[in-house]
Each structure stands twice: as C-alpha cells, then as structure tokens.
Amino acid sequence: MENMARHRIIGFDREMMSFTDWLTDAQAKTSIFSISGIGGIGKTTLLLQMARTARQFSVRSLWLDGRGGLTTLGSFLASLEMSLATEYGRTRDRDAALLSYIASELSLVPTVLLIDNCEEIERLEGWLFSSFLPELKSARVLFVCASRNGLPLQWQTNPEWKSRLRRFPLRLFTREEVYDYLGSSGLPVELQREIAQKTDGHPLSLALTVDMLFSESAEERDVWREVPAVLSAEFLREAASPNLYRALTALSLLPAADEALLNRLLDKPLEGADYYQLTALSFVRDTMDGISLHQVVARILREDFARRTPEQFEAVRHRAFVLLAERFHSVDHRMQMRLSAHILELYREFLPSAHAYANFSSSLKPGEQKPFQLEDLPDLQRFMKASILGSDWQSELVEPADYPALLDGIAARFPEGIFVVRDEKGRPLAFCAGLWLHALSMPLLERYAPGCRQMLGEEAFSLHELPLEAADTIFVLLSAVNSEHSLYRPEELGALLMQQWLVHMTRGLRGILAAADPQLNALLSVLGFQACGKVTGFAGIELTTWELDFRQSAFDQWIQRIIRQTETAAAQPALPRENDHRLSIERNEMKQMLERLFELDKLEELPVMRRFCWSGMQVRATIQEILADTHQAGPLTAMEKEILIAGYLRKDRNKSELAASFHMSRATFYRHMRLAEQHLAYVLGDRLRQAEGDSL
C-alpha cells in the first residue's frame, strides 16, 4: 500500500478526460492521439493508465513498444498478431493474409492501440497512410502514439487524417500537483517542501527522489546528488556521440545559442552535422535565437556537470558569464531581458539558500508579467499587513503606521511604481512598490519619507524639475510576499520577487532603497547593489543607502561584479581588460558629445574626449558615418538612427514635434531617445576598440 501511495497517478486530467470521452462515445471513429514530452515526463505512465482505464470500460487494448522493432510493416503487423493471440486468444487462419486479418480483427470491436516509444514510426508513414489506416477509417480504433517529439509533421498535415489527430504535449507538474503526489507519502512536511523545491515538477525526478528516500540505504545516500546523475544519464542517452554530449553540457549554460556562440564555449568546435543533430533531440528547441535546452533538463545537466567535474564546470560557467556580458549590448531588448534572467539563473547557486528574505535554491517560474491593476490592491495590502505583523522589512524611512496610506497613494496616483509577481493564473504572489522620481512624485515621496532628501542630496533639487517622461529612477519603499500561501514558502517568493525585479530593472533603470537590517544589507550586496552611504530614518535609525543602476552602460559593471564573485583559479581572467573602461562611453557622455557635435571647441573640452585623445573633427566624422550607414550597427536600429539624426543633426523641431513625427507620446519618445544614445555609445566605443587594435 505504501508503494502504491508513492506512485499515485496525477497530472493527466486533460488527457484522461479526452481518452474517456472516446471510450464512452458510441459514435467515435478511428482517431489518433499523439503524446509527446521529454524523457521522464510520464508518457509511459500515461499509456499504462489508459490501458487500465480501457479494461475498466471493457474495451480491448493492445500494447506495442517501438523499442521491440516496429521499423518495418512486417514487424508491425507481426507484433499486432502476437498481441491479439496472447492477450485475447485470437488466431489467424493459415490461408488468411496478415494485413486483411489484422484489419478485420481491429474492425470487429472498439480497440485501443497503445504504441510506446514510437520515434521510428516515420519509416512506416507511407504504408500506414496508403494501406493500413484506410482499412480502418470506418472502424472504431484509437491509436495512442507516445514519443519524445510527437508524431512527424506529415501526420499533422495529412488531409485525410489531420482532423482525426489530437496532440497532447505533456507538461511538468504544478506545485499543487507535486504536493498532491507527496500528500500520502508519509514523509515529513519539511522534507516534502524540500522535494517540491528541488524537483521542479519533473515527474521522474519526483518519483526517483521519493523512492530513494524510502530505500533501506537512504541515510547513506546523497539523494540530491544521485538523482541528477541518473536523470542526466537518461537524457544523454539520446546524444549518441561524445561531441553532442560536450555540446549539451555547454548549452546548459546558455539561454540559447547558434553554432558560432556554442563553439565559443567549447574547447573543440562542433562539426556542422553535430549542431543539426542537436535540434533533433527531444529536449532541444530550435528558436529564433538559436537552439535552447528545456529548462529542467538544463538544470539537471548543470547540476550533474558541477558534481562530476567541479573545476571544469566553474571555468566553463565563468566563460559563459563573460560571453553573455559581451552580447548584452549587441542584442535587442527582448533578448537582453532573457540574458539577464539567465545570468541570474546561473548565479543562483552563489546566492543564499537560507535567508530571512529569500531562498534562491528553488527555481520558481513566474506567471505572465502584467502591470499592477487596481483589483490587486486588496491582496497587496493583505500581504503587507502580514509582513508588518511578522516584523519583516518595509522601509525605515517611513513610519510603519503610514505604510497602508502610502501604498494607497502610490496605487491611486503613480501605479507604474508597483511591480507585481503573479502565479500561473495571474494572481499576485509578491510585490514591491515605490515611486518613479520626477517633479510630480517628489512631494508624495517627501511627505511619507522625509529622509529621502538626505539620501538624494543635490539631485533632489533637479528631480523637482524633472518631467515625468524623463524619469528613469525608482525609489523602492515597500515590499511584501504572500506569506500565507499554502504552496510556496515566503522565502521562495522573496527570491522570485528579487530575481524578477532585477530582470525588470535591466531595461535601463536605476533603483534606490535604504535599509538598516544587516541581513538585507548583506543580501543586497550579493545581488550587485552598490552601497552609497548612510542616512537617518525615522526614530533616528541609521540606514545604508543602496543603488542599482542599469542606465547607460551600468549593466556591464553589474555583470562584471557577478563575474568577479564567481571567479575561480580555473577561470579565465574576467573582462573587461585594463584598458576597456577607458574605451567605454557612458550614455550621458554620448549625449554631451551629440549636443556639442557642431561646436568643435566645446566638444574637445569634454573629459570623454581627452580620455580618448581624439580630435573633435574625428569624433564628428565617425558619428556621422555611423548614423549615415544604412546597415544596422550592433544594437543601434534604423529607427534609433533616425531619432538621433532628427534630434541632434537636423535640430529643426522641438521634442513635442519630434515625438509627433515618430507617432509617439513624449514619454515614449524620451525612452527611445535615451536608448538610442546608449546604443550609439556602444557602437562608437566598439569603433574605438577596433581603431586601437588596428594601430597596434
């Protein structure tokens, strides 16, 4: 009974409902179900459940296994004949043709034909479509085909059978389903939580972990070491050659990679055919950014790689950090967000797994990112109330009694300052709230957090004059998670909030906050925040001011801090090299150069010009050349070039007229202008590096 309790069938409601509908439909016709998914996700388990259900409904079921050799029509028909004989005592007359006999038998009574491991079925496609399936078109047969990649495209586009085909790609377990599975296991609640965190909803990982914990030698076994090793071996069985094996372990460290990028991470480049073989593996997807590993498979391969050869893993991961940092400014905004998320995923194991505010050992995936909605406010107030009762950090700049009113004020007047992390159904799990700093928001900030003036210093005066559309700094004041959630620990949600907020900030924003809690201060330091001094909060509390600045080129500085923290003796020296800082240009420096582009004497007075030892004439000619070039230069798009030309070279319209000419609001135009300045700074810096290299 204990063993049965540990192997309850869960997570197949949709598939089993469709299967049962077919069994109970007296008018059902011959149909095809295609079950697909990565290794260990439950394809065989689902087929076994379907076989049991068919017996309960007294419907005949036959089982074929592709690993037994279903690559020829003779073996396919022979396997069916054997199943009919051994399972149901049906035998063929000596004079009857095999195909006619099988077609006749399958037409006699409703039949479910379960085919597991049917990866090689494409070899029989022509014969199945031309000779076998037409014989059964008016019968009542359900073909259930399970394979890692699903039935080939020809099945989905065949004019005769595509309307009878249903696809069922299997998914990972939700956290709720994992707890459902573990509920009757008898394992302690805390251990169930740890299992839920570390198995990522992968069914085979979950089953193996539970089995090992119940084994007689459980106390002597390192379950968290053994399970990834077993699963990585299972996944790598698909990779027949050592070259593919090496490529997969390297790919596990990248969000996506084309052949050139993957080869930069390998000591020995792949042969061309090997790269295309990777795309055929069940857990590798071909995307617009290159090939990408299934997230769970990538994690498992990384864990196994790290445990087998830790020094080699650390060296390769370090090279991956450097590669991703190099790529950041040469890709579009969508890919920048993806790179940021992946960098944080690789960095996760360097972050604390046990912390008062965040537990980074769990790799939770948030739901869709949606802006704050007014209907979210009751949930956020409830989270914050529970946080206050638990004495968790909010803001020592604000009187605790004012927290609810402050949150209401932000929601009513400046809702863009609220960042919400949601579950798969769109319900809030956690939030942080602050104010984008500009002339309209500063009075509210100073009303509730008077200590902000000390934090901001002289900048406070200019912020009182800053228009809304130019705001690029968020002052964080409140933060809370759903501490009463039944499925997630508060520390897991805290980690999820911090990770997602960091990714959000890489769009080119600056975040400011202040804290007195030493644990929070230590965590902020590890996350790449910069300490900017001390200020005094309410009741005379001394606070540390923290800043995370992704404006201009600060992402490079942040990722370099990450790289330095992950360096090992085996790793390559971190970039940038000694002279790279001298050859990088900040966005504000680029803006100053553009503003003085036609005043050479003023242009040459800029500190950035003296750093490069360039003449004003050279800089002006190079910038004009970049903007006039019809080819895209790195991250600088054609539209961004037009914006810079209109704003700095022609200078015949004011900002409102420019925004209207590009069919944008002033706020949107300002954001595009800042991004264009940042991208031009990167391209110009790249030209400088090339010029210096040519002169050596």
Side-chain angles (χ1 to χ4, degrees):
M1 288 296 292
E2 182 187 79
N3 191 56
M4 290 181 64
R6 297 207 310 269
H7 291 86
R8 295 175 55 240
I9 304 300
I10 61 169
F12 297 131
D13 294 345
R14 178 188 62 142
E15 293 80 8
M16 290 306 301
M17 184 178 297
S18 297
F19 182 70
T20 304
D21 287 345
W22 188 91
L23 294 178
T24 56
D25 183 1
Q27 305 301 316
K29 297 180 180 179
T30 294
S31 302
I32 304 166
F33 284 5
S34 175
I35 311 293
S36 62
I38 62 172
I41 204 164
K43 299 182 293 295
T44 301
T45 301
L46 175 57
L47 262 60
L48 290 168
Q49 176 69 4
M50 287 178 168
R52 285 191 288 269
T53 303
R55 286 195 293 272
Q56 291 170 4
F57 281 87
S58 300
V59 173
R60 184 169 66 182
S61 64
L62 303 173
W63 184 285
L64 300 182
D65 193 331
R67 288 177 299 193
L70 302 179
T71 57
T72 66
L73 61 92
S75 62
F76 181 79
L77 292 174
S79 297
L80 281 175
E81 181 183 24
M82 182 179 298
S83 293
L84 286 166
T86 56
E87 296 291 330
Y88 297 98
R90 307 292 295 177
T91 55
R92 173 170 60 110
D93 291 339
R94 185 174 300 175
D95 298 330
L98 183 55
L99 175 58
S100 299
Y101 164 71
I102 296 295
S104 174
E105 279 294 326
L106 295 182
S107 300
L108 287 176
V109 295
T111 302
V112 175
L113 180 55
L114 302 157
I115 311 176
D116 200 10
N117 301 298
C118 62
E119 275 75 12
E120 304 295 327
I121 201 168
E122 67 266 20
R123 298 190 182 188
L124 300 178
E125 277 174 7
W127 174 76
L128 287 169
F129 286 137
S130 64
S131 302
F132 187 66
L133 290 174
E135 294 285 331
L136 304 172
K137 198 164 187 180
S138 58
R140 192 176 164 207
V141 180
L142 176 61
F143 292 84
V144 183
C145 303
S147 61
R148 295 195 170 194
N149 289 314
L151 289 172
L153 186 62
Q154 289 86 333
W155 291 73
Q156 301 168 38
T157 57
N158 184 279
E160 295 292 326
W161 291 95
K162 65 180 181 181
S163 62
R164 300 193 185 201
L165 171 66
R166 293 195 61 186
R167 299 169 62 208
F168 295 97
L170 300 187
R171 56 169 178 77
L172 301 172
F173 289 156
T174 64
R175 181 63 68 93
E176 189 172 8
E177 288 169 339
V178 171
Y179 280 130
D180 184 21
Y181 181 93
L182 295 170
S184 57
S185 65
L187 293 169
V189 173
E190 278 304 308
L191 185 54
Q192 290 186 35
R193 286 184 171 183
E194 188 173 8
I195 294 169
Q197 280 182 221
K198 293 187 175 180
T199 55
D200 275 354
H202 185 256
L204 183 56
S205 177
L206 180 61
L208 276 175
T209 299
V210 173
D211 279 350
M212 286 188 182
L213 289 170
F214 273 104
S215 68
E216 293 181 3
S217 58
E219 293 183 4
E220 303 170 10
R221 304 176 75 169
D222 182 354
V223 173
W224 310 120
R225 183 186 184 93
E226 289 190 48
V227 170
V230 171
L231 292 175
S232 66
E234 171 68 20
F235 292 128
L236 292 171
R237 278 196 311 171
E238 285 192 57
S241 74
N243 283 348
L244 293 190
Y245 177 91
R246 290 187 305 106
L248 285 172
T249 53
L251 187 58
S252 72
L253 291 160
L254 298 170
D258 57 19
E259 187 173 356
L261 181 62
L262 188 56
N263 279 335
R264 290 188 65 187
L265 207 58
L266 293 169
D267 294 327
K268 179 183 176 184
L270 280 176
E271 296 179 6
D274 289 333
Y275 181 80
Y276 292 102
Q277 285 183 40
L278 287 173
T279 64
L281 302 179
S282 68
F283 44 83
V284 175
R285 292 184 302 128
D286 198 359
T287 73
M288 61 187 294
D289 302 308
I291 56 175
S292 175
L293 271 181
H294 188 286
Q295 64 191 40
V296 169
V297 178
R299 178 188 61 77
I300 289 170
L301 292 182
R302 280 198 303 268
E303 288 182 7
D304 185 47
F305 184 13
R307 288 182 171 114
R308 281 187 294 103
T309 53
E311 290 185 0
Q312 183 184 1
F313 171 76
E314 288 172 8
V316 177
R317 178 180 51 195
H318 181 86
R319 296 213 307 268
F321 276 132
V322 174
L323 278 178
L324 297 177
E326 286 179 359
R327 290 196 69 206
F328 187 82
H329 288 296
S330 64
V331 297
D332 60 24
H333 172 64
R334 175 194 58 82
M335 191 60 186
Q336 285 181 341
M337 300 280 279
R338 188 174 179 188
L339 289 179
S340 304
H342 189 78
I343 287 167
L344 285 169
E345 175 63 21
L346 292 186
Y347 186 50
R348 193 158 52 85
E349 71 180 70
F350 291 94
L351 300 173
S353 59
H355 191 276
Y357 299 108
N359 184 324
F360 293 93
S361 64
S362 175
S363 56
L364 295 180
K365 298 297 180 287
E368 181 184 357
Q369 180 59 50
K370 294 194 301 185
F372 166 77
Q373 306 291 326
L374 200 55
E375 54 265 31
D376 297 330
L377 188 56
D379 282 332
L380 307 193
Q381 288 283 17
R382 178 168 54 85
F383 299 169
M384 192 169 61
K385 182 179 179 181
S387 175
I388 295 169
L389 290 173
S391 299
D392 291 334
W393 172 82
Q394 292 299 325
S395 175
E396 291 95 346
L397 281 173
V398 181
E399 291 280 355
D402 289 338
Y403 292 159
L406 173 59
L407 182 55
D408 283 342
I410 295 173
R413 297 184 56 198
F414 307 106
E416 66 279 1
I418 302 177
F419 179 81
V420 182
V421 174
R422 304 176 185 276
D423 65 13
E424 295 172 345
K425 297 180 180 178
R427 296 170 300 204
L429 289 172
F431 81 97
C432 61
L435 290 166
W436 287 70
L437 300 186
H438 49 77
L440 298 177
S441 66
M442 285 298 291
L444 184 66
L445 177 65
E446 292 174 343
R447 174 185 170 189
Y448 285 103
C452 69
R453 272 198 168 274
Q454 185 185 357
M455 281 182 66
L456 296 171
E458 293 182 3
E459 186 181 1
F461 296 100
S462 61
L463 288 169
H464 272 284
E465 304 297 326
L466 190 71
L468 166 65
E469 58 266 22
D472 58 11
T473 297
I474 301 172
F475 198 120
V476 181
L477 294 166
L478 304 170
S479 177
V481 306
N482 184 359
S483 59
E484 299 170 348
H485 202 290
S486 61
L487 302 179
Y488 305 105
R489 292 173 174 174
E491 305 83 52
E492 286 184 275
L493 298 179
L496 181 63
L497 174 61
M498 288 188 173
Q499 288 173 290
Q500 292 304 302
W501 185 80
L502 277 168
V503 171
H504 176 68
M505 295 299 289
T506 60
R507 297 185 307 162
L509 307 175
R510 175 177 63 151
I512 300 176
L513 56 85
D517 188 321
Q519 290 193 73
L520 180 59
N521 286 334
L523 179 58
L524 293 173
S525 175
V526 173
L527 287 171
F529 282 77
Q530 294 273 62
C532 301
K534 302 289 185 179
V535 295
T536 303
F538 76 88
I541 299 173
E542 184 182 67
L543 312 177
T544 301
T545 303
W546 295 95
E547 183 178 282
L548 185 67
D549 194 346
F550 285 125
R551 301 173 304 177
Q552 303 156 24
S553 63
F555 181 88
D556 302 317
Q557 297 162 16
W558 178 75
I559 187 61
Q560 292 307 326
R561 286 199 294 275
I562 298 268
I563 290 171
R564 283 194 295 273
Q565 290 175 21
T566 59
E567 278 184 320
T568 65
Q572 297 294 322
L575 295 178
R577 295 177 297 275
E578 289 182 7
N579 64 340
D580 276 359
H581 174 69
R582 185 175 63 80
L583 294 178
S584 65
I585 304 172
E586 301 290 331
R587 184 190 69 83
N588 62 319
E589 292 176 325
M590 189 72 255
K591 179 178 172 66
Q592 292 170 352
M593 294 165 75
L594 287 166
E595 289 170 340
R596 296 162 177 78
L597 198 60
F598 297 100
E599 301 174 271
L600 295 183
D601 54 339
K602 292 183 179 180
L603 179 61
E604 291 178 346
E605 289 174 0
L606 293 174
V608 64
M609 295 293 293
R610 291 195 293 271
R611 192 167 78 238
F612 292 138
C613 301
W614 267 31
S615 71
M617 189 69 75
Q618 280 180 296
V619 167
R620 185 169 71 185
T622 304
I623 290 174
Q624 288 177 319
E625 179 185 325
I626 291 170
L627 296 180
D629 191 348
T630 56
H631 297 94
Q632 183 168 327
L636 188 64
T637 66
M639 186 184 75
E640 288 169 351
K641 289 180 184 179
E642 284 298 318
I643 288 174
L644 293 173
I645 291 170
Y648 290 109
L649 272 63
R650 294 198 189 105
K651 296 195 291 187
D652 57 351
R653 285 167 286 183
N654 62 36
K655 290 295 191 291
S656 295
E657 291 169 334
L658 284 171
S661 70
F662 283 95
H663 308 288
M664 299 175 185
S665 68
R666 277 177 60 92
T668 301
F669 179 77
Y670 271 96
R671 284 196 293 272
H672 280 285
M673 177 69 87
R674 288 198 298 268
L675 197 59
E677 291 162 355
Q678 178 179 324
H679 288 167
L680 177 59
Y682 175 82
V683 175
L684 183 59
D686 196 45
R687 293 283 177 95
L688 292 172
R689 283 187 286 273
Q690 290 177 16
E692 182 172 276
D694 293 340
S695 66
L696 294 177

